[in-house]
Amino acid sequence: MCGILGVVGRTPVNQLLYDGLQLLQHRGQDAAGIVTANGKTFHMHKGSGLVRDVFRTRNMRSLLGNAGIGHVRYPTAGSASSLAEAQPFYVNSPFGIVLAHNGNLTNTDELKSDMYRNDLRHINTNSDSEVLLNVFAHEIAARVENASLTPDAVFGAVEAVHRRIKGAYAVVAMIAGFGLVAFRDPNGIRPLVMGSNEADGSTEYMFASESVALDCSGFKLLRDVAPGECVYVTFDGGDMHSKICAANTKLAPCLFEYVYFARPDSVIDGVSVYQSRLNMGEMLAEKIRKQFPSMEIDVVIPIPDSSRQSALQLANALGLPYREGFIKNRYIGRTFIMPGQAVRKKSVRQKLNPVALEFAGRNVLLVDDSIVRGTTSKEIVQMARDSGAKKVYFASAAPAVRFPNVYGIDMPTRAELLATGRNDEQIAREIGADAVIYQELDALEQAVQSINRDLDVFEASCFSGCYITGDINEAYLDAIEAARGKGKAQPEGDDPSSKLVDLNLNVAEQNLM
């Protein structure tokens, strides 16, 4: 789960990309990068850390050009926090191509082997995004004629990419001297939206993981990039071309985007994230009303921030007081994203502090977006008890997470997931709550589908164990869990913020592959 951004403008886009990445910062805090295109020259700067820490004035001044792509990185299963895997990635042939990717490929090892034997390309990192870039570059090279590149050649290359790779991917890429390419996997698992802005009598285009990046940048949301679609915008004149490049497509967006990852002010696949979370609270209230009629609740308290809308609507539906019982330190990273259990456990009380007045002598219903490992939930329940709560109930706006996610979310192994092998009563005991209430999967789907009736399939594997791409089995899950054990985070004491890459890549004179 990362954030990607691409712009073809009429004026310099460096500030636009920086601002857009800050709006997508919640999607990844491990690394950030920007590449701009100035003629046939790419200018790149990337580094480990937050956007505000990676880019300085001198870096921004070097990012010349009216087109560019950006990325904020969130490390996925088995990967380490490493500058080498910060995006965008670059290859010098054909023409010079840079690429940023959100998602996760599920046949990376097969692709690596195939590229080494047949494509004669070498992969330098463990990142599946570098693999994707090299597959794309190889297919582009196969369609170059007389050093020129047509929209049909680009579409043909993306068609071949769809045939060769499996998994989840939303992509923005630039081909030096030609244009920007954006495409999305045939299942539409990871989000990608496009917008436009009129400037100097012509149209500028922006692509982003979430619509909030468009809204706050002055761009009008046009639509989502469709599953299997490729959109190509040329640098000279900004002409936009699009085509569905996959034979079998269906829209199956990831449900966890609506539960947790996306900002509430975003619209993804025609669904307001804010409204979907209100609906989740309504559905959860209905379950409590029917299945727990004797539960005595004095107050509903959200675990900030992503559960606020659900908790508010739940309280309204049950006619209960809604109170802010935890104050969040906004300068502490989101614990779900932090690598390493020791860091995660330590950070909970640094991140949240209870308002004792709201807990003392009360039966409280805590509402969170989800329960994954349970480490954070256990700490929060204990904080509520330490603040004087009589009883502590814990409600999750999402169903029980029992299976790993293989499509770009760094879910723990099955053994680390709290709900694996436990029923609700056992989970409640594990986190110290008097009761745990989970959302039902069909209710969660309805909460989203009621806003956009065209959505009839969702990627919900972490709840159901059903993987939409059809290529995931026990052997695959065992392999990624083994890789996860080897791919540890950066050693303590190694300061990632000091590691930066700043390059000007002049690709004008390079030969074609």
Side-chain angles (χ1 to χ4, degrees):
M1 197 277 297
C2 301
I4 62 174
L5 191 65
V7 183
V8 177
R10 305 271 68 83
T11 57
V13 296
N14 49 2
Q15 186 68 52
L16 197 59
L17 288 163
Y18 177 88
D19 294 342
L21 288 185
Q22 284 204 308
L23 292 163
L24 298 175
Q25 185 73 85
H26 60 286
R27 299 188 66 86
Q29 302 165 350
D30 181 67
I34 290 175
V35 178
T36 56
N38 186 25
K40 293 185 178 181
T41 301
F42 288 144
H43 304 275
M44 175 189 292
H45 181 75
K46 58 183 180 178
S48 299
L50 302 176
V51 175
R52 69 186 182 208
D53 298 324
V54 171
F55 297 95
R56 294 288 185 264
T57 301
R58 64 182 181 277
N59 311 130
M60 297 298 293
R61 286 174 176 166
S62 70
L63 294 171
L64 307 174
N66 296 350
I69 63 174
H71 186 269
V72 286
R73 179 179 183 265
Y74 164 88
T76 51
S79 65
S81 178
S82 167
L83 177 65
E85 297 187 3
Q87 298 186 44
F89 281 111
Y90 166 77
V91 291
N92 62 8
S93 181
F95 307 115
I97 301 175
V98 288
L99 178 144
H101 161 227
N102 172 33
N104 189 56
L105 307 188
T106 57
N107 63 333
T108 302
D109 291 341
E110 175 189 334
L111 290 168
K112 282 184 177 179
S113 177
D114 188 47
M115 280 188 290
Y116 180 77
R117 291 195 316 266
N118 301 320
D119 297 357
L120 303 180
R121 285 180 173 268
H122 179 71
I123 306 302
N124 298 303
T125 72
N126 292 321
S127 173
D128 62 328
S129 302
E130 189 190 7
V131 174
L132 198 162
L133 168 60
N134 277 273
V135 172
F136 178 60
H138 177 80
E139 298 300 339
I140 287 287
R143 290 160 178 80
V144 173
E145 293 184 7
N146 300 319
S148 66
L149 192 67
T150 65
D152 285 342
V154 173
F155 295 146
V158 174
E159 287 174 1
V161 168
H162 288 322
R163 288 194 297 270
R164 292 182 63 179
I165 70 178
K166 299 177 182 178
Y169 48 95
V171 174
V172 288
M174 291 192 299
I175 305 170
F178 290 96
L180 184 148
V181 183
F183 58 93
R184 193 177 179 193
D185 71 76
N187 294 299
I189 297 171
R190 300 265 72 89
L192 187 61
V193 300
M194 61 181 294
S196 67
N197 177 55
E198 299 304 315
D200 298 330
S202 58
T203 304
E204 300 178 314
Y205 291 96
M206 177 181 283
F207 301 86
S209 294
E210 294 184 33
S211 64
V212 64
L214 308 181
D215 301 337
C216 299
S217 301
F219 281 69
K220 177 184 178 182
L221 175 63
L222 293 177
R223 59 181 177 85
D224 297 88
V225 175
E229 183 182 17
C230 173
V231 182
Y232 176 50
V233 181
T234 61
F235 292 151
D236 56 336
D239 295 327
M240 192 266 283
H241 310 266
S242 66
K243 182 182 179 181
I244 301 296
C245 296
N248 299 305
T249 64
K250 60 177 175 289
L251 181 56
C254 174
L255 268 179
F256 221 74
E257 289 280 354
Y258 301 101
V259 169
Y260 175 78
F261 284 123
R263 275 181 44 154
D265 46 346
S266 284
V267 177
I268 297 176
D269 290 314
V271 173
S272 161
V273 176
Y274 179 84
Q275 183 62 55
S276 73
R277 290 177 184 170
L278 291 177
N279 292 353
M280 291 173 205
E282 192 81 39
M283 298 291 184
L284 200 53
E286 185 63 21
K287 178 174 181 177
I288 292 173
R289 188 182 293 113
K290 289 182 177 179
Q291 298 185 19
F292 302 89
S294 61
M295 184 176 284
E296 296 180 357
I297 304 169
D298 297 318
V299 63
V300 175
I301 295 176
I303 311 303
D305 283 315
S306 47
S307 66
R308 280 197 169 107
Q309 295 82 37
S310 297
L312 178 61
Q313 194 68 3
L314 183 153
N316 288 338
L318 294 178
L320 295 170
Y322 168 92
R323 295 290 186 268
E324 292 285 345
F326 292 99
I327 303 303
K328 183 175 182 179
N329 180 350
R330 300 186 181 280
Y331 300 97
I332 299 293
R334 297 172 80 175
T335 56
F336 182 76
I337 290 177
M338 287 183 176
Q341 188 76 359
V343 175
R344 182 176 299 107
K345 187 172 182 179
K346 177 183 176 183
S347 73
V348 176
R349 288 181 183 264
Q350 294 175 335
K351 179 180 177 181
L352 295 175
N353 193 49
V355 179
L357 179 68
E358 297 295 353
F359 294 93
R362 293 177 171 178
N363 298 328
V364 299
L365 174 62
L366 303 180
V367 181
D368 207 350
D369 50 69
S370 59
I371 306 172
V372 182
R373 297 171 179 84
T375 308
T376 301
S377 305
K378 186 174 184 178
E379 287 282 309
I380 288 171
V381 170
Q382 188 59 50
M383 279 191 271
R385 294 202 185 279
D386 292 344
S387 297
K390 288 197 301 184
K391 288 189 177 182
V392 181
Y393 307 113
F394 204 103
S396 169
V401 177
R402 302 185 188 277
F403 305 92
N405 184 290
V406 301
Y407 299 122
I409 301 175
D410 189 25
M411 287 288 185
T413 63
R414 285 164 288 187
E416 293 176 292
L417 292 167
L418 178 65
T420 301
R422 293 185 178 95
N423 59 32
D424 290 358
E425 291 76 17
Q426 291 169 325
I427 292 169
R429 286 197 299 270
E430 187 69 24
I431 67 173
D434 292 283
V436 167
I437 305 102
Y438 279 108
Q439 186 85 266
E440 299 296 332
L441 180 54
D442 59 352
L444 175 60
E445 292 178 343
Q446 185 180 344
V448 178
Q449 187 185 37
S450 63
I451 306 170
N452 181 0
R453 294 295 182 183
D454 291 334
L455 295 176
D456 54 9
V457 181
F458 295 95
E459 200 301 294
S461 57
C462 59
F463 308 123
S464 67
C466 298
Y467 294 91
I468 200 81
T469 54
D471 60 332
I472 306 303
N473 53 29
E474 285 293 317
Y476 182 90
L477 295 178
D478 289 341
I480 63 169
E481 289 177 357
R484 184 182 176 86
K486 296 177 182 178
K488 298 300 183 183
Q490 208 154 345
E492 188 176 352
D494 194 356
D495 179 12
S497 65
S498 64
K499 296 181 174 182
L500 303 170
V501 171
D502 203 345
L503 298 172
N504 291 333
L505 306 168
N506 193 326
V507 293
E509 303 301 326
Q510 291 171 353
N511 295 323
L512 302 180
M513 176 178 283

